[in-house]
Amino acid sequence: MAHIDAGKTTVSERVLYFTGKTYKIGEVHDGTAVMDYLVEEQQRGITITSAATTCPWKGHTINLIDTPGHVDFTVEVERSLRVLDGAVAVFCAVGGVEAQSETVWRQAVRYRVPRLCFINKMDRLGAEFDRVVQEIGERLSSHPVAVQLPIGAGADFRGQIDLIERKAYLYASAEVATDMHAEPIPADMVDGVEAARHEMIERIAEVDDELMARFINDEPISPDDIRAAIRRATCANALQVVLCGSALKHMGVRLLLDAILWYLPSPLDVPPVVGHASLEGDTELTREATEDEPFCGLVFKIVSDPHGDLYFARVYSGTLKAGTRVYNPVRDKKEIVSRIWEMYAKQRIRRDEVHAGDIVALVGCKHSLTGDTLCDTKHPIVLERMEFPQAVISMSIEPRSSADKNKLAEALDTLRREDPTFEYHQDVETGQTLISGMGELHLEILHNKLRRDMGVDVKVGKPRVAYKETVVAAGEGEGRFVRQIGGRGHFGVVRLRVEPFTPETGEAPVKVVNEAPGDQIPKEFHKAIEEAVTDTARSGHLAGYPLENIRVTILGGQSHPVDSSEMAFAQAAATALEEAVSKAAPTFMEPIMSLQVACPEEFLGAVTGDLNARRGEIVNMAVRHSMRVITAQAPLAELFGYSTSLRSASQGRASSTMEPSHYAVVPRNVADGLLKFV
């Protein structure tokens, strides 16, 4: 996992080569990388979809997933971290900790994934190992411990010093450094190495009691003692070891593989997976990573395939055989796993059965979606689901011919099944189909996929911002639904209050609180009222954007012993909400992006001036070599085409990355402008 262009795929390709999975090294810049197998990935030189493979190293099996660095595909990192036991965070020795590095690190913290750090590109001009280690500690609020020191940097980078073993690893000077040999530490580095080793042991001892006891009592500490302490601390997420190298030149990849075996946990080292007996989350259950336990696994990715969709799943416990019937407690459906594939990027190897710890692709499922649990039919368990970010950008899409209309509906359903951050809906006002995603690149890739891979010829509109609506004051409203239809009447009166509300992480954006006295609204109508409130909020009030960040309190109402019905109270609640919102100062919210811009000093004024003109707010400014790194927040609406204007303002020498940060209330003049188009 890493920021874009840190070298994740290059590291993965070298891992495949050294573990014997490939005999020819694929290169990202040549479009020949095994893990970047989509046409789109090879053309653009970026990773779009996470590719899974399995490789052997020194008698162990490693499941490897190479994830994208681009923020538009952050869901791929999210779902990979949810099912993996450890992660290698790759950092560029020149760029250091960048915007997306912080995002993927936060995701790993959320899923409590132990990680180690690999500082790549040590052969690049401007590589600074110590600075990047310091940034990892400060900017990621982590506990990095360097277990290697680089020998040289930039064009002089020759190898690494292993602080644990007190050895220097040097490489043949050939273009491809496949020949690695150990030597004594160079004489001019001995003192620095001893000081760094002492500091390393001290930092590990701070988080490991066993090593601390030996350290305080001046007992001898062997390399095995240090490695055992690092493993305990890494598995407990108390520290992150830091290694260095150059994946492009093959330097440090074998030592990284050794570190993965030594320090990252196997499925047996992580605590048993926790789930619940049902969706309600009542009884807590655990499953050990053994074959004796009942089978349970988690679907973390779905890929459509003409020969049967592939459901990527991590097996947490038990054994799964091909042809077995399994249960999906989230959908309350039984599925038949007809075939099991071990994936190697786009190639696949047939497996008759799989065990705890395996990551495989299942064929035959029909009802499961990303984040669903599959388990033994007699032993139901629901594992923790995944949280996905909201779409921030949308565009209209329509088929070029009526023949493509049905194909488009099917294709959009397939895309939604594959990608949980992709949404589509029909605009009630215009009848247009709107597709929504995480960014301009995300929508462009989806458009290309529809056209090229699915054979649906479509016209697309310009990307536009996915606004939301909210209120900034409190307001009350009353809704009455009194009708006489035939012999039976319908009677319902609802009074409610709407006010601003800030939801916690994972909390619904519309909170409904029922304070109605039981004698005014009978209990059997409460659910209908609450559903009507959330449904009405989804349609918005001002311009059809969803109404969010509101608390709706049901204050009371009136009922009739004979004529009251669910429909009457639902209609009354919808009317009451409309009235309350109109009195509560409704307005729009817009997505705010977190932006990081690196530009040469001489263009700083032009770049900051442009950001200010785009309603940007500069949060931080740092110096990195001859570059200024600006961290800012700006509305997405002002950032369309930003990369082009940034290149113009800096003669092509500045670069930027952005990611969704949060939603914020729009200024009054912007809200007035939006209302003109309604």
Side-chain angles (χ1 to χ4, degrees):
M1 59 176 206
H3 183 84
I4 193 166
D5 273 350
K8 293 175 299 301
T9 303
T10 306
V11 172
S12 300
E13 293 297 320
R14 300 310 183 265
V15 165
L16 295 180
Y17 177 73
F18 286 119
T19 56
K21 289 292 280 192
T22 55
Y23 301 101
K24 182 173 181 295
I25 295 164
E27 297 292 8
V28 176
H29 50 265
D30 294 337
T32 57
V34 174
M35 302 300 266
D36 283 353
Y37 57 87
L38 297 179
V39 177
E40 200 83 46
E41 293 178 318
Q42 291 166 357
Q43 288 174 349
R44 293 172 184 266
I46 61 170
T47 303
I48 292 168
T49 180
S50 53
T53 188
T54 305
C55 48
W57 185 249
K58 297 188 176 176
H60 296 264
T61 300
I62 298 172
N63 284 308
L64 170 76
I65 296 185
D66 174 34
T67 62
H70 202 287
V71 67
D72 283 21
F73 312 108
T74 189
V75 65
E76 296 287 344
V77 186
E78 185 90 23
R79 53 188 175 190
S80 301
L81 285 170
R82 171 66 184 82
V83 297
L84 294 179
D85 297 326
V88 176
V90 182
F91 298 91
C92 171
V94 182
V97 175
E98 299 181 79
Q100 186 66 1
S101 314
E102 295 182 40
T103 304
V104 296
W105 195 270
R106 279 198 305 271
Q107 289 169 317
V109 169
R110 182 160 68 247
Y111 291 119
R112 301 175 292 282
V113 177
R115 62 221 88 114
L116 51 86
C117 306
F118 181 69
I119 297 178
N120 190 25
K121 303 192 179 184
M122 282 302 303
D123 59 320
R124 288 259 313 269
L125 182 67
E128 287 183 74
F129 179 77
D130 292 339
R131 175 181 56 80
V132 180
V133 174
Q134 187 182 345
E135 280 185 13
I136 292 170
E138 290 172 0
R139 290 187 53 186
L140 304 178
S141 306
S142 61
H143 195 90
V145 175
V147 294
Q148 291 179 352
L149 289 182
I151 303 173
D156 300 327
F157 178 63
R158 305 195 312 282
Q160 304 89 346
I161 287 171
D162 184 337
L163 295 177
I164 298 172
E165 294 277 1
R166 291 188 174 100
K167 281 183 186 170
Y169 288 97
L170 298 168
Y171 301 84
S173 58
E175 184 73 20
V176 178
T178 45
D179 180 23
M180 178 179 81
H181 53 278
E183 287 187 10
I185 296 166
D188 62 330
M189 293 184 73
V190 171
D191 291 346
V193 167
E194 285 308 309
R197 189 175 194 273
H198 186 270
E199 187 191 341
M200 172 192 75
I201 293 172
E202 210 171 74
R203 296 205 64 187
I204 300 165
E206 284 173 13
V207 293
D208 187 80
D209 295 340
E210 283 185 46
L211 196 70
M212 179 61 89
R214 299 181 83 94
F215 185 70
I216 289 172
N217 298 322
D218 274 340
E219 292 178 29
I221 296 173
S222 70
D224 287 343
D225 293 333
I226 297 173
R227 279 196 279 265
I230 292 175
R231 185 180 184 84
R232 287 191 296 271
T234 303
C235 291
N237 271 314
L239 64 76
Q240 293 80 32
V241 298
V242 183
L243 303 101
C244 63
S246 163
L248 191 66
K249 299 272 180 73
H250 300 211
M251 301 160 86
V253 176
R254 280 158 288 193
L255 300 177
L256 173 64
L257 280 163
D258 288 341
I260 288 169
L261 295 193
W262 279 329
Y263 309 130
L264 290 182
S266 87
L268 300 174
D269 296 322
V270 293
V273 66
V274 177
H276 293 92
S278 67
L279 272 175
E280 280 65 52
D282 39 20
T283 315
E284 198 170 272
L285 302 172
T286 58
R287 292 277 192 271
E288 300 272 354
T290 68
E291 293 173 27
D292 305 330
E293 291 265 17
F295 162 73
C296 91
L298 187 86
V299 175
F300 67 95
K301 178 173 171 153
I302 300 168
V303 175
S304 63
D305 190 273
H307 308 296
D309 290 356
L310 299 172
Y311 289 75
F312 283 75
R314 156 77 190 263
V315 182
Y316 280 100
S317 65
T319 301
L320 176 65
K321 295 183 178 178
T324 309
R325 185 184 285 269
V326 294
Y327 177 55
N328 179 339
V330 180
R331 312 280 155 206
D332 191 22
K333 298 279 187 185
K334 288 188 176 170
E335 303 268 38
I336 291 181
V337 177
S338 55
R339 289 194 301 285
I340 303 173
W341 298 110
E342 181 184 295
M343 298 304 291
Y344 169 42
K346 66 177 176 182
Q347 299 166 10
R348 46 191 93 166
I349 301 154
R350 189 102 174 227
R351 293 277 297 268
D352 292 326
E353 65 175 51
V354 286
H355 310 281
D358 283 332
I359 291 179
V360 287
L362 312 176
V363 178
C365 301
K366 293 276 186 288
H367 310 287
S368 302
L369 293 176
T370 301
D372 285 1
T373 305
L374 297 177
C375 59
D376 189 296
T377 50
K378 295 190 182 70
H379 302 89
I381 182 172
V382 181
L383 302 177
E384 179 196 352
R385 295 194 57 124
M386 300 182 221
E387 295 286 331
F388 296 116
Q390 287 185 316
V392 294
I393 188 169
S394 59
M395 68 182 181
S396 61
I397 187 166
E398 56 183 275
R400 285 191 186 274
S401 66
S402 53
D404 282 328
K405 200 169 185 178
N406 291 341
K407 278 169 73 179
L408 177 63
E410 285 174 25
L412 293 177
D413 274 337
T414 301
L415 288 178
R416 184 157 59 182
R417 215 167 57 246
E418 284 189 3
D419 184 350
T421 56
F422 167 72
E423 297 166 11
Y424 76 92
H425 68 278
Q426 206 85 17
D427 189 320
V428 186
E429 309 276 314
T430 62
Q432 283 182 315
T433 300
L434 295 177
I435 61 172
S436 308
M438 297 299 297
E440 287 182 88
L441 179 63
H442 188 198
L443 292 183
E444 191 183 327
I445 300 286
L446 289 168
H447 174 214
N448 290 348
K449 197 168 185 179
L450 278 170
R451 213 184 60 240
R452 187 177 53 219
D453 301 349
M454 297 177 166
V456 185
D457 200 8
V458 288
K459 288 189 287 189
V460 295
K462 281 187 178 172
R464 55 189 188 187
V465 177
Y467 289 99
K468 295 190 188 304
E469 297 178 17
T470 192
V471 298
V472 291
E476 292 187 10
E478 180 179 278
R480 303 177 68 85
F481 190 79
V482 183
R483 298 279 191 283
Q484 197 72 32
I485 303 168
R488 168 111 194 259
H490 287 279
F491 185 93
V493 178
V494 175
R495 281 184 296 106
L496 49 78
R497 181 174 65 248
V498 172
E499 57 200 324
F501 160 69
T502 306
E504 298 288 322
T505 308
E507 204 175 357
V510 178
K511 185 169 186 172
V512 184
V513 180
N514 202 328
E515 292 180 0
D519 59 335
Q520 293 186 12
I521 302 177
K523 200 170 182 181
E524 64 262 30
F525 300 127
H526 287 186
K527 192 176 178 200
I529 294 172
E530 289 173 19
E531 284 177 357
V533 165
T534 51
D535 284 351
T536 308
R538 222 170 276 140
S539 308
H541 175 80
L542 295 168
Y545 296 113
L547 189 59
E548 293 191 357
N549 291 14
I550 58 169
R551 187 203 314 271
V552 180
T553 308
I554 301 162
L555 303 171
Q558 294 172 35
S559 63
H560 188 280
V562 178
D563 288 350
S564 282
S565 63
E566 286 190 356
M567 186 197 87
F569 275 108
Q571 293 286 351
T575 309
L577 184 68
E578 286 286 338
E579 186 183 317
V581 169
S582 65
K583 293 177 181 174
T587 188
F588 297 96
M589 291 193 297
E590 63 184 347
I592 304 295
M593 307 299 279
S594 186
L595 189 70
Q596 197 174 64
V597 184
C599 74
E601 181 82 47
E602 62 262 39
F603 302 112
L604 185 63
V607 170
T608 52
D610 183 43
L611 277 172
N612 290 332
R614 294 171 184 271
R615 293 196 281 131
E617 186 182 317
I618 293 168
V619 179
N620 187 32
M621 206 177 286
V623 179
R624 189 182 292 160
H625 308 300
S626 60
M627 304 287 272
R628 281 297 183 101
V629 180
I630 305 159
T631 306
Q633 292 192 330
L636 174 62
E638 306 288 348
L639 293 175
F640 287 124
Y642 178 66
S643 53
T644 308
S645 64
L646 179 66
R647 280 196 294 271
S648 305
S650 65
Q651 295 174 11
R653 291 171 62 195
S655 62
S656 69
T657 56
M658 67 175 90
E659 61 175 325
S661 172
H662 61 283
Y663 269 82
V665 172
V666 301
R668 184 62 194 265
N669 61 324
V670 178
D672 291 344
L674 288 170
L675 283 169
K676 282 180 189 170
F677 295 104
V678 178

